[in-house]
Amino acid sequence: MKQDQAQKLRELYQRFNHDQQTRTTKVISITSGKGGVGKSNFALNFALSLIESGQKVVLIDLDIGMANLEILVGMNPKHNLIDMVEGGKSIWDVMEKGPNGLELISGGSSFNEMLDLSADDTNYLFSELEKLQGYADIILFDTGAGLSRESQRCHLAADEIILVTTPEPTAMTDAYSVIKILHHQDANLHVRLVVNRVASSKEGMEIAGRFRTVTKQFLEKEIDILGFIPNDSHVFQSVLEQTPFLLNYPKSQAAKWMKDIVKIYLNGDAKSNNSTGMKGFIRKISGFVKI
Ligand SMILES: Nc1ncnc2c1ncn2[C@@H]1O[C@H](COP(=O)(O)OP(=O)(O)O)[C@@H](O)[C@H]1O
Ligand SMILES: [Mg+2]
């Protein structure tokens, strides 16, 4: 009984705060072709850098069974989205506070099964996720490599997609395949490219330029270039130390370039294009789910 009351109070408090500061929420889905290109490190440090720039960010880990983000940030979340549905918890119960105001939601280890849940469970999941509308400025989904059925739905439902690749030909080819598949399902997707582990900005520009030319020529798809992250041993070191490089080595090249990316992102059209936010995300993703 006492616990019930505490939970209700917590929800009321969250809702109160929420109502006080309703925001335009943008949903960003992060993808790559090949795995191991630095997607999770990008998602985490991009989130932290956005927060440093005054954005309220919720980071959701949908890389099923990998628990990547919580390890990278040295957290051990008590609950995840699966517990939420199975245990009837609210989204506020499964959202964990991380460093510097980061708010993280762990996907748990069997999200694939989740979308095959009963109609009631699915509705419950979506109604809880929808509460994030207006709560954060940006909701970031980190997904697994390539396109699972679920991650595909996530990308198609998001306001925009950040595609992470490295200069490796295999990573580039796989990244192209991902965009090709998504583009054939929705030609209006807003895709921004990040080239990670570049030797120089010149290399980044060459790689991104080449990618852009190919998607334009073969798919008639315009892709924005968001930026580059250098190959930097501080990233590897931060993974070992389970502290994001933005916090651990804020003066590293990787951190500096990340801050530049965020500056460009926030000064660009990030705010101005028509985001449908979490409400639109739920509407679109629900359309794919058999209920
Ligand atoms: N910019 C970088 N510089 C150096 N190493 C990097 C960089 N980005 C990623 N890495 C290395 O690649 C590994 C995989 O990164 P991760 O973010 O887990 O990839 P993904 O989520 O795409 O599978 C990291 O543990 C790190 O060692
Ligand atoms: Mg990952």
Side-chain angles (χ1 to χ4, degrees):
M1 180 64 188
K2 255 193 176 156
Q3 217 174 3
D4 270 7
Q5 276 174 1
Q7 181 172 335
K8 280 207 181 99
L9 274 175
R10 198 160 51 234
E11 252 201 73
L12 271 177
Y13 176 73
Q14 295 270 16
R15 279 202 191 136
F16 174 75
N17 268 350
H18 188 169
D19 291 346
Q20 293 301 297
Q21 32 179 307
T22 296
R23 298 152 193 264
T24 314
T25 303
K26 172 160 283 204
V27 179
I28 308 175
S29 185
I30 303 187
T31 188
S32 71
K34 208 163 92 71
V37 296
K39 188 161 24 73
S40 297
N41 274 281
F42 177 84
L44 176 61
N45 289 281
F46 184 58
L48 288 164
S49 186
L50 284 167
I51 292 169
E52 258 183 24
S53 304
Q55 302 292 301
K56 189 166 174 63
V57 181
V58 176
L59 180 57
I60 304 181
D61 194 346
L62 288 187
D63 193 357
I64 312 317
M66 300 302 172
N68 265 312
L69 291 173
E70 56 204 67
I71 291 169
L72 290 177
V73 76
M75 286 168 67
N76 188 11
K78 280 197 249 359
H79 300 296
N80 55 48
L81 288 177
I82 296 171
D83 300 338
M84 183 182 84
V85 173
E86 289 179 350
K89 297 187 187 314
S90 85
I91 194 84
W92 314 118
D93 291 325
V94 298
M95 196 187 307
E96 296 259 346
K97 293 253 186 242
N100 287 27
L102 177 74
E103 290 177 285
L104 180 74
I105 296 176
S106 161
S109 53
S110 53
F111 191 76
N112 280 349
E113 290 160 25
M114 225 170 156
L115 293 179
D116 291 330
L117 290 172
S118 70
D120 281 355
D121 285 350
T122 310
N123 283 335
Y124 183 70
L125 164 70
F126 290 158
S127 65
E128 286 304 308
L129 277 175
E130 201 170 348
K131 288 182 184 167
L132 296 175
Q133 173 69 33
Y135 174 73
D137 297 302
I138 296 174
I139 294 171
L140 280 176
F141 282 96
D142 182 27
T143 62
L147 289 179
S148 67
R149 200 165 45 107
E150 286 69 29
S151 66
Q152 203 163 320
R153 286 171 179 164
C154 181
H155 303 320
L156 292 169
D159 290 315
E160 54 186 58
I161 295 169
I162 293 181
L163 174 68
V164 181
T165 185
T166 63
E168 279 185 325
T170 42
M172 299 261 292
T173 310
D174 292 352
Y176 175 77
S177 302
V178 163
I179 289 312
K180 189 175 166 186
I181 292 166
L182 293 175
H183 175 71
H184 283 149
Q185 295 181 73
D186 181 356
N188 294 317
L189 291 176
H190 188 182
V191 181
R192 300 175 189 263
L193 180 70
V194 170
V195 189
N196 186 27
R197 308 196 72 160
V198 298
S200 61
S201 56
K202 186 166 169 276
E203 184 190 36
M205 241 128 38
E206 275 167 19
I207 296 286
R210 214 180 305 151
F211 196 86
R212 220 169 165 262
T213 307
V214 171
T215 53
K216 204 166 170 183
Q217 192 174 337
F218 296 106
L219 304 176
E220 288 175 28
K221 172 86 192 155
E222 291 276 358
I223 283 183
D224 287 342
I225 298 169
L226 182 55
F228 323 116
I229 304 282
N231 195 36
D232 183 341
S233 59
H234 292 102
V235 178
F236 175 69
Q237 198 52 39
S238 298
V239 174
L240 290 184
E241 292 165 9
Q242 290 188 261
T243 312
F245 64 79
L246 203 93
L247 307 178
N248 216 14
Y249 300 105
K251 296 208 157 66
S252 65
Q253 287 302 306
K256 280 189 186 152
W257 290 35
M258 179 62 84
K259 289 176 197 177
D260 286 346
I261 285 183
V262 165
K263 237 179 258 158
I264 292 165
Y265 182 78
L266 294 176
N267 287 337
D269 63 350
K271 287 276 146 196
S272 61
N273 71 20
N274 321 326
S275 38
T276 60
M278 210 56 194
K279 269 201 186 335
F281 179 83
I282 297 299
R283 186 165 32 77
K284 286 184 257 175
I285 206 169
S286 306
F288 296 106
V289 180
K290 293 172 244 97
I291 302 183

